[in-house]
Tab-separated table of all heavy atoms in Angstrom:
chain	number	residue	atom	x	y	z
X	94	ASP	N	-191.264	-217.369	-41.895
X	94	ASP	CA	-191.883	-218.244	-40.942
X	94	ASP	C	-191.151	-217.904	-39.625
X	94	ASP	O	-189.950	-218.370	-39.480
X	94	ASP	CB	-191.698	-219.721	-41.307
X	94	ASP	CG	-192.611	-220.093	-42.406
X	94	ASP	OD1	-193.657	-219.416	-42.558
X	94	ASP	OD2	-192.295	-221.071	-43.078
X	95	HIS	N	-191.740	-217.161	-38.717
X	95	HIS	CA	-191.086	-216.784	-37.500
X	95	HIS	C	-191.644	-217.599	-36.269
X	95	HIS	O	-192.838	-217.568	-36.069
X	95	HIS	CB	-191.301	-215.250	-37.264
X	95	HIS	CG	-190.524	-214.724	-36.116
X	95	HIS	ND1	-190.834	-213.575	-35.551
X	95	HIS	CD2	-189.450	-215.219	-35.483
X	95	HIS	CE1	-190.021	-213.323	-34.517
X	95	HIS	NE2	-189.104	-214.313	-34.505
X	96	VAL	N	-190.715	-218.204	-35.605
X	96	VAL	CA	-191.003	-219.046	-34.428
X	96	VAL	C	-190.320	-218.514	-33.224
X	96	VAL	O	-189.169	-218.147	-33.271
X	96	VAL	CB	-190.658	-220.542	-34.649
X	96	VAL	CG1	-190.943	-221.338	-33.388
X	96	VAL	CG2	-191.302	-221.088	-35.854
X	97	MET	N	-191.080	-218.305	-32.124
X	97	MET	CA	-190.483	-217.906	-30.867
X	97	MET	C	-190.908	-218.772	-29.728
X	97	MET	O	-192.085	-219.024	-29.651
X	97	MET	CB	-190.748	-216.438	-30.629
X	97	MET	CG	-189.950	-215.930	-29.430
X	97	MET	SD	-190.336	-214.203	-28.962
X	97	MET	CE	-191.920	-214.391	-28.170
X	98	ASN	N	-190.021	-219.136	-28.847
X	98	ASN	CA	-190.370	-219.995	-27.676
X	98	ASN	C	-190.707	-219.133	-26.509
X	98	ASN	O	-190.199	-217.998	-26.366
X	98	ASN	CB	-189.285	-220.980	-27.418
X	98	ASN	CG	-188.030	-220.274	-26.876
X	98	ASN	OD1	-187.501	-219.433	-27.609
X	98	ASN	ND2	-187.563	-220.525	-25.694
X	99	ILE	N	-191.411	-219.729	-25.562
X	99	ILE	CA	-191.675	-219.122	-24.239
X	99	ILE	C	-191.020	-220.117	-23.267
X	99	ILE	O	-191.491	-221.319	-23.241
X	99	ILE	CB	-193.121	-218.929	-23.928
X	99	ILE	CG1	-193.799	-218.016	-24.970
X	99	ILE	CG2	-193.316	-218.383	-22.512
X	99	ILE	CD1	-193.472	-216.560	-24.831
X	100	THR	N	-190.038	-219.726	-22.506
X	100	THR	CA	-189.447	-220.622	-21.502
X	100	THR	C	-190.267	-220.598	-20.221
X	100	THR	O	-190.164	-219.615	-19.542
X	100	THR	CB	-187.955	-220.295	-21.239
X	100	THR	OG1	-187.221	-220.305	-22.480
X	100	THR	CG2	-187.356	-221.231	-20.272
X	101	ASP	N	-191.086	-221.590	-20.006
X	101	ASP	CA	-191.897	-221.618	-18.834
X	101	ASP	C	-191.457	-222.740	-17.847
X	101	ASP	O	-191.998	-222.925	-16.835
X	101	ASP	CB	-193.394	-221.753	-19.121
X	101	ASP	CG	-193.708	-222.920	-20.008
X	101	ASP	OD1	-192.808	-223.555	-20.448
X	101	ASP	OD2	-194.908	-223.133	-20.303
X	102	VAL	N	-190.345	-223.419	-18.186
X	102	VAL	CA	-189.792	-224.392	-17.310
X	102	VAL	C	-188.356	-224.580	-17.637
X	102	VAL	O	-187.911	-224.400	-18.718
X	102	VAL	CB	-190.570	-225.757	-17.478
X	102	VAL	CG1	-190.291	-226.435	-18.751
X	102	VAL	CG2	-190.210	-226.742	-16.265
X	103	GLY	N	-187.566	-224.981	-16.614
X	103	GLY	CA	-186.203	-225.523	-16.880
X	103	GLY	C	-185.110	-224.498	-16.839
X	103	GLY	O	-183.910	-224.877	-16.924
X	104	HIS	N	-185.425	-223.164	-16.744
X	104	HIS	CA	-184.353	-222.156	-16.752
X	104	HIS	C	-183.945	-222.011	-15.272
X	104	HIS	O	-184.712	-221.449	-14.512
X	104	HIS	CB	-184.842	-220.886	-17.377
X	104	HIS	CG	-183.689	-219.946	-17.723
X	104	HIS	ND1	-183.887	-218.866	-18.500
X	104	HIS	CD2	-182.351	-219.974	-17.332
X	104	HIS	CE1	-182.712	-218.240	-18.696
X	104	HIS	NE2	-181.839	-218.866	-17.966
X	105	LEU	N	-182.809	-222.480	-14.951
X	105	LEU	CA	-182.384	-222.435	-13.532
X	105	LEU	C	-181.721	-221.127	-13.147
X	105	LEU	O	-181.244	-220.374	-14.054
X	105	LEU	CB	-181.385	-223.625	-13.206
X	105	LEU	CG	-181.957	-224.976	-13.543
X	105	LEU	CD1	-181.019	-226.068	-13.031
X	105	LEU	CD2	-183.293	-225.202	-12.874
X	106	THR	N	-181.676	-220.812	-11.885
X	106	THR	CA	-181.128	-219.543	-11.444
X	106	THR	C	-179.607	-219.509	-11.690
X	106	THR	O	-179.013	-218.450	-11.679
X	106	THR	CB	-181.410	-219.313	-9.923
X	106	THR	OG1	-181.042	-220.513	-9.228
X	106	THR	CG2	-182.889	-218.965	-9.696
X	107	SER	N	-178.978	-220.703	-11.852
X	107	SER	CA	-177.526	-220.681	-12.160
X	107	SER	C	-177.354	-221.287	-13.574
X	107	SER	O	-177.968	-222.241	-13.958
X	107	SER	CB	-176.739	-221.499	-11.153
X	107	SER	OG	-175.620	-222.014	-11.729
X	108	GLU	N	-176.480	-220.669	-14.353
X	108	GLU	CA	-176.183	-221.187	-15.682
X	108	GLU	C	-175.565	-222.531	-15.620
X	108	GLU	O	-175.372	-223.238	-16.586
X	108	GLU	CB	-175.264	-220.218	-16.460
X	108	GLU	CG	-175.864	-218.831	-16.683
X	108	GLU	CD	-176.876	-218.807	-17.830
X	108	GLU	OE1	-177.090	-219.810	-18.493
X	108	GLU	OE2	-177.374	-217.667	-18.093
X	109	ALA	N	-174.940	-222.925	-14.441
X	109	ALA	CA	-174.250	-224.194	-14.336
X	109	ALA	C	-175.115	-225.376	-13.959
X	109	ALA	O	-174.745	-226.263	-13.307
X	109	ALA	CB	-173.134	-224.012	-13.322
Side-chain angles (χ1 to χ4, degrees):
D94 284 338
H95 187 200
V96 177
M97 187 181 77
N98 67 303
I99 300 288
T100 302
D101 54 355
V102 69
H104 196 166
L105 303 185
T106 48
S107 154
E108 297 279 0

